[in-house]
């Protein structure tokens, strides 16, 4: 029976305090399930293990989700609408993997409503050992949004889409009536960051459960997987372009280095001018004024000297005599 | 298209480069709003459980009085810690706001003790997580211990080095003092006693009252004769000094006038033969 799925637990817990609890306890869900919201989660071919685990984690977190087989990428996207109709789902999360590297996520409201395409980055799944929280399978989440979602019309549309997709309907048969975890959607760096926290204490202590990912908005369409484009993200750079830019930057660096090297080589080997006559040598020459030649005919008078200066005086006298003799 | 323009006479002289028109990005605000209006389902809050709020106040940064940017402005997506704390606080604020609302709608948030149901992560997985956390803690503790040991060893080593250096310095000082004395530069022998005095004073300060006289005279004689090694047999030599040494000369004894011990010995003296005969004949 579908309801037995709800009470599945590890076998060693089957008896507690002597009571056999394999019988389901009385239903705490006293209410009728009115909000018929069903989400179809599936992917294209060529996804890697991380994406597969992410899909499984989302199905675990959302009891109102259904799975489907992989779709061939050759089919056009509007085929997805038909698949949704067959499965009786009115929302769809479609993961598309390209080049085995890039993951795109489509979120759409199936028959007529809007849809959006995102690039998914930084995926961490439930299985990571650093994400230590845990929650009931199928418990209803609280949704927490950044106030920036209300400021722009495209963000407001996305907010509505997220609310309708991710919130578990009340009294859903597979859901648990407790609220013990919270999804946060925050806008930072023009991207939407998704986190899932477990509520430990009611005063606000939290532990992260996972999964976590980052959505980079590409386009919003008016129809489901088609239709006129309502919004294009100006800051979006496709992963191909991104990779190309990195490669070009690296190439430019190498080329610059090579050019510098060549220039240096050229400088070393180029013929140098022989400088025999300095063209600028005359710049600082200032011709001095001609002085009249002063010829002394008479010897100068010897001064009255002290003892110390005898030698000096003698020497001077000698020099004068010598001059006289020459002249 | 360049050629057509040329034919029409539109081009000016000079270089005419064909430039792409800048890409026009669609932002159909009206369309978005219309779509939203068509699409939205006005469900009661209980169905949606959504809240929009800013993060709760950052207690830590308030305590440190850091006026950091995300309080008002943009969140830096590259600063990992700040970013994650921002998300955490946003979730916290949501919870704080939502609790009273949930209570009002009588939606439970805590499950009862005996409520067993499947969890999103299996018990096995949680065991793995627990083991990993424990092992991390152990590793940290071990590294802390190792660091402390290393520090201790370094410290111990330092102390050892200091002691050895002190000893070397003392030895050096002693040797230099001895040399000085030998060379006659100082005639004080204080350096010999210097250490001993210091030692004695420091170690025997308390024992002073107890051990005033040191070892007794008998002990000293015995030590001198039998103890502390060295040649004892060569102590009596007939050298010039010993011949000239007349310190052991007692004139009274030498001239026979001293008597043995004064008159103490007379008490035990034996009478002569004739007196003994008389005594014998009497008794």
């Amino acid at each position: 029976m579908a309801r037995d799925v709800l009470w599945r637990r590890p076998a060693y817990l089957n008896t507690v305090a002597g009571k056999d609890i394999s019988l389901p306890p009385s239903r705490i869900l006293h209410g009728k399930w009115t909000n018929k919201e069903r989400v179809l989660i599936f992917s294209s071919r060529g996804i890697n293990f991380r994406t597969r685990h992410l899909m499984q984690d989302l199905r675990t977190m959302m009891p109102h989700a259904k799975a489907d087989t992989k779709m061939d990428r050759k089919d056009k996207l509007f085929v997805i609408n038909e698949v949704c109709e067959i499965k009786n789902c009115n929302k769809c999360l479609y993961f598309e993997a390209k080049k085995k590297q890039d993951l795109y996520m489509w979120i759409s409201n199936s028959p007529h409503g809007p849809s959006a395409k995102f690039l998914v980055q930084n995926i961490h799944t439930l299985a990571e050992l650093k994400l230590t929280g845990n929650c009931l399978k199928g418990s209803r989440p609280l949704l927490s949004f950044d106030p920036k979602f209300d400021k722009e019309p495209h963000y407001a549309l996305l907010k509505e889409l997220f609310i309708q997709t991710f919130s578990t309907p009340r009294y859903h048969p597979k859901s648990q009536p407790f609220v013990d975890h919270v999804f946060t959607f925050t806008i930072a760096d023009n991207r939407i960051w998704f986190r899932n926290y477990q509520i430990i204490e009611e005063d606000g202590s939290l532990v992260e459960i996972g999964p976590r990912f980052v959505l980079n908005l590409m386009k919003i369409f008016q129809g489901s997987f088609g239709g006129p484009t309502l919004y294009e993200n100006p800051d979006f750079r496709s992963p191909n372009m991104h990779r190309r830019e990195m490669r070009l930057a690296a190439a430019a660096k190498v080329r610059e280095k090579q050019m510098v090297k060549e220039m240096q080589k050229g400088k070393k080997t180029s013929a140098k001018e022989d400088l025999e006559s300095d063209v600028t040598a005359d710049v600082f020459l200032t011709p001095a004024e001609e002085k009249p030649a002063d010829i002394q005919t008479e010897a100068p008078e010897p001064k009255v000297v002290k003892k110390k200066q005898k030698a000096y005086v003698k020497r001077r006298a000698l020099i004068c005599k010598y001059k006289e003799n020459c002249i | 298209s360049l050629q057509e323009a040329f034919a029409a006479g539109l081009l000016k002289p000079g270089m005419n480069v064909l430039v792409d028109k800048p890409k026009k990005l669609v932002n159909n605000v009206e369309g978005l709003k219309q779509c939203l209006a068509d699409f939205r389902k006005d469900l009661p809050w209980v169905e949606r459980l959504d809240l929009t709020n800013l993060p709760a106040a950052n207690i830590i940064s308030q305590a440190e009085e850091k006026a950091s940017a995300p309080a008002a402005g943009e969140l830096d997506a590259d600063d990992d810690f700040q970013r994650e704390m921002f998300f955490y606080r946003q979730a916290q604020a949501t919870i704080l706001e939502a609790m009273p609302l949930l209570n009002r709608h009588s939606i439970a948030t805590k499950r009862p003790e005996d409520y067993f149901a499947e969890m999103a992560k299996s018990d096995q997985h949680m065991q793995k997580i627990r083991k990993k956390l424990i092992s991390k803690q152990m590793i940290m503790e071990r590294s802390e211990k190792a660091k402390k040991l290393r520090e201790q060893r370094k410290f111990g080593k330092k102390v050892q080095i200091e002691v050895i250096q002190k000893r070397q310095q003392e030895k050096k000082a002693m040797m230099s003092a001895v040399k000085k004395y030998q060379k006659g530069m100082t005639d004080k022998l204080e350096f010999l006693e210097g250490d001993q005095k210091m030692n004695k004073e420091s170690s025997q300060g308390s024992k002073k009252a107890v051990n005033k006289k040191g070892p007794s005279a008998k002990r000293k004689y015995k030590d001198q004769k039998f103890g502390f090694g060295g040649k004892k047999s060569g102590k009596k030599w007939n050298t010039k000094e010993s011949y000239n040494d007349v310190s052991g000369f007692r004139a009274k004894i030498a001239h026979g006038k001293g008597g043995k011990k004064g008159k103490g010995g007379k008490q035990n003296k034996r009478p002569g033969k004739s007196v003994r005969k008389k005594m014998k004949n009497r008794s």
Side-chain angles (χ1 to χ4, degrees):
Chain A
M1 233 168 51
R3 280 177 207 166
D4 280 341
V5 169
L6 181 62
W7 312 116
R8 205 185 307 137
R9 78 194 70 70
Y12 64 81
L13 288 176
N14 256 340
T15 51
V16 168
K19 281 190 284 177
D20 181 22
I21 55 166
S22 50
L23 302 164
S26 56
R27 291 277 306 266
I28 307 179
L29 308 169
H30 300 300
K32 211 163 172 262
W33 171 35
T34 45
N35 180 14
K36 309 275 176 158
E37 199 71 62
R38 292 185 197 83
V39 181
L40 181 67
I41 303 184
F42 70 119
S43 74
S44 72
R45 314 193 71 198
I47 53 172
N48 62 357
F49 68 98
R50 212 184 289 277
T51 317
R52 206 167 3 98
H53 279 106
L54 178 64
M55 277 201 328
Q56 277 174 6
D57 295 341
L58 285 174
R59 281 184 213 139
T60 316
M61 284 290 140
M62 310 203 298
H64 57 291
K66 286 192 187 170
D68 196 21
T69 52
K70 290 184 197 160
M71 193 190 83
D72 229 356
R73 241 180 291 121
K74 281 183 254 163
D75 302 334
K76 303 289 179 190
L77 285 172
F78 56 76
V79 170
I80 300 179
N81 290 324
E82 292 174 10
V83 176
C84 282
E85 218 186 292
I86 294 171
K87 287 263 172 172
N88 193 17
C89 290
N90 53 4
K91 296 278 183 303
C92 176
L93 276 176
Y94 173 61
F95 290 94
E96 197 181 345
K98 287 215 170 131
K99 284 191 175 183
K100 295 193 184 169
Q101 277 174 341
D102 314 319
L103 179 67
Y104 297 99
M105 181 174 104
W106 287 86
I107 177 170
S108 96
N109 178 21
S110 184
H112 329 284
S115 54
K117 185 174 181 188
F118 299 93
L119 174 69
V120 189
Q121 293 166 318
N122 289 12
I123 300 174
H124 296 264
T125 57
L126 273 180
E128 300 218 349
L129 291 176
K130 292 206 175 158
L131 304 172
T132 51
N134 201 355
C135 67
L136 283 172
K137 187 173 184 180
S139 62
R140 299 182 64 209
L142 274 175
L143 300 173
S144 165
F145 290 94
D146 203 4
K148 285 191 202 156
F149 273 100
D150 294 330
K151 289 190 186 155
E152 308 264 327
H154 56 271
Y155 281 139
L157 184 60
L158 284 178
K159 180 180 168 182
E160 188 61 34
L161 204 49
F162 288 148
I163 291 174
Q164 290 188 16
T165 312
F166 286 102
S167 57
T168 304
R170 206 179 183 196
Y171 308 129
H172 190 280
K174 283 193 192 166
S175 71
Q176 304 276 3
F178 305 104
V179 173
D180 65 353
H181 64 288
V182 54
F183 290 162
T184 48
F185 297 86
T186 323
I187 298 180
D189 191 24
N190 288 312
R191 291 178 170 85
I192 301 174
W193 300 69
F194 173 88
R195 294 281 182 276
N196 180 11
Y197 293 100
Q198 176 196 4
I199 303 169
I200 301 179
E201 282 299 316
E202 300 207 354
D203 65 350
S205 55
L206 306 164
V207 180
E208 189 159 356
I209 310 170
R212 48 152 86 169
F213 48 86
V214 179
L215 300 172
N216 202 347
L217 174 65
M218 285 171 68
K219 285 189 181 183
I220 303 183
F221 301 99
Q222 193 177 10
S224 167
F225 293 99
T229 313
L230 288 175
Y231 180 77
E232 257 180 78
N233 186 4
D235 303 315
F236 177 77
R237 270 175 22 250
S238 85
N240 273 333
M241 294 300 295
H242 181 75
R243 283 187 283 259
R244 184 161 178 269
E245 275 172 27
M246 306 280 279
R247 253 181 288 142
L248 285 178
K253 252 196 202 174
V254 172
R255 237 181 286 137
E256 220 187 283
K257 276 189 190 169
Q258 274 184 346
M259 266 174 53
V260 167
K261 270 191 195 169
E262 277 173 27
M263 268 175 58
Q264 282 183 340
K265 257 193 196 172
K267 272 189 200 169
K268 277 186 199 168
T269 55
S270 68
K272 291 179 196 151
E273 321 170 353
D274 293 325
L275 295 172
E276 286 171 33
S277 61
D278 188 9
V279 182
T280 58
D282 299 335
V283 174
F284 292 110
L285 284 182
T286 49
E289 288 174 8
E290 290 271 336
K291 278 188 190 169
D294 193 19
I295 304 170
Q296 291 182 317
T297 48
E298 289 175 9
E301 293 162 8
K303 291 186 216 159
V304 176
V305 295
K306 303 175 189 169
K307 261 195 181 174
K308 269 190 189 172
Q309 292 180 3
K310 254 193 185 173
Y312 178 71
V313 165
K314 270 192 194 170
R315 203 161 160 269
R316 292 290 306 199
L318 266 175
I319 289 168
C320 291
K321 262 194 192 170
Y322 178 67
K323 272 193 184 162
E324 276 178 29
N325 287 346
C326 290
I327 294 162
Chain B
S1 55
L2 265 180
Q3 287 170 338
E4 292 162 15
F6 183 60
L10 290 169
L11 293 180
K12 294 179 204 160
M15 277 287 288
N16 287 292
V17 185
L18 198 62
V19 172
D20 286 327
K21 252 190 287 181
K23 230 179 142 186
K24 269 198 181 158
L25 295 162
V26 182
N27 187 356
N28 190 353
V29 179
E30 280 305 315
L32 284 167
K33 289 188 182 163
Q34 180 69 39
C35 195
L36 180 58
D38 288 337
F39 163 62
R40 62 184 300 146
K41 274 198 266 188
D42 286 313
L43 296 166
W45 182 81
V46 204
E47 284 290 336
R48 294 175 298 143
L49 295 179
D50 75 311
L51 285 153
T52 309
N53 41 35
L54 279 170
N58 193 349
I59 309 167
I60 302 171
S61 75
Q62 270 177 8
E64 294 178 9
E65 294 193 15
K66 269 195 230 169
S68 47
E74 284 298 314
L75 170 66
D76 179 18
D78 289 329
D79 185 359
D80 290 341
F81 186 66
Q82 216 183 51
R83 187 189 66 215
E84 295 299 323
M85 284 313 292
F86 188 87
F87 300 154
Y88 187 89
R89 283 182 291 125
Q90 189 186 321
Q92 264 187 335
T94 305
I95 295 171
L96 293 172
E97 235 185 270
M99 281 300 147
L101 287 172
L102 286 172
N103 287 334
R104 222 182 299 156
H105 292 277
S106 59
I107 297 178
T109 49
K110 286 201 175 151
R111 55 181 184 150
E113 292 294 314
D114 56 351
Y115 191 96
F116 291 111
E118 199 172 352
M119 305 288 276
K121 297 188 192 176
S122 67
D123 286 343
Q124 218 182 28
H125 192 258
M126 297 310 287
Q127 292 271 5
K128 249 198 263 179
I129 291 176
R130 218 169 291 142
K131 268 191 211 162
K132 183 113 196 263
L133 280 174
I134 289 171
S135 77
K136 258 197 210 173
Q137 229 179 344
M138 297 265 294
I139 289 170
M140 256 181 63
E141 273 174 31
R142 243 181 268 157
S143 73
E144 285 284 328
K145 263 194 217 169
K147 265 188 211 169
K148 273 191 190 163
L149 267 175
R150 249 179 281 144
E151 285 297 319
Q152 264 186 354
R153 248 184 268 154
K154 275 194 192 165
F155 183 70
K157 192 78 178 176
K158 263 192 224 168
V159 168
Q160 196 185 36
I161 288 174
E162 270 179 32
V163 165
I164 288 175
Q165 276 186 342
K166 196 177 164 195
R167 274 193 216 151
Q168 279 178 343
Q169 277 173 357
E170 276 178 22
K171 186 176 176 186
K172 196 172 163 190
M174 182 66 127
M175 292 307 290
S176 63
V178 167
K179 281 220 171 113
K180 275 190 187 169
Y181 177 72
Q182 282 179 341
K183 296 199 177 167
M185 284 158 66
T186 50
D187 51 356
K188 295 182 206 163
L189 284 175
E190 272 176 8
F191 63 86
L192 270 181
E193 293 160 17
D195 295 332
Q196 284 172 16
K197 248 193 200 168
M198 296 278 289
N199 282 352
K200 259 195 194 171
E201 277 174 7
S202 62
S203 64
Q204 285 189 4
S206 57
K207 293 185 194 171
K208 238 184 175 181
V210 180
N211 208 356
K212 240 187 184 177
K213 294 191 179 172
S216 61
K218 181 181 172 184
R219 189 70 254 161
K220 275 188 197 159
Y221 169 72
K222 294 238 172 163
D223 280 347
Q224 198 197 13
K225 194 171 183 197
F226 304 113
F228 306 134
K231 268 177 116 179
K232 293 181 188 34
S233 47
K235 277 191 176 153
K236 299 179 181 177
W237 270 21
N238 231 354
T239 60
K240 191 177 182 181
E241 292 90 4
S242 72
Y243 185 79
N244 290 337
D245 182 23
V246 290
S247 55
F249 179 77
R250 300 277 176 267
K252 282 194 175 173
I253 296 170
H255 295 270
K257 283 183 187 171
K260 275 164 192 175
K261 271 178 189 177
K263 301 242 170 158
K266 257 224 168 160
Q267 290 161 7
N268 293 342
K269 209 179 174 187
R270 195 168 165 237
K273 189 168 184 182
S274 55
V275 174
R276 268 188 279 133
K277 251 193 177 167
K278 277 183 196 170
M279 279 167 75
K280 192 178 170 187
N281 288 340
R282 268 195 208 152
S283 63

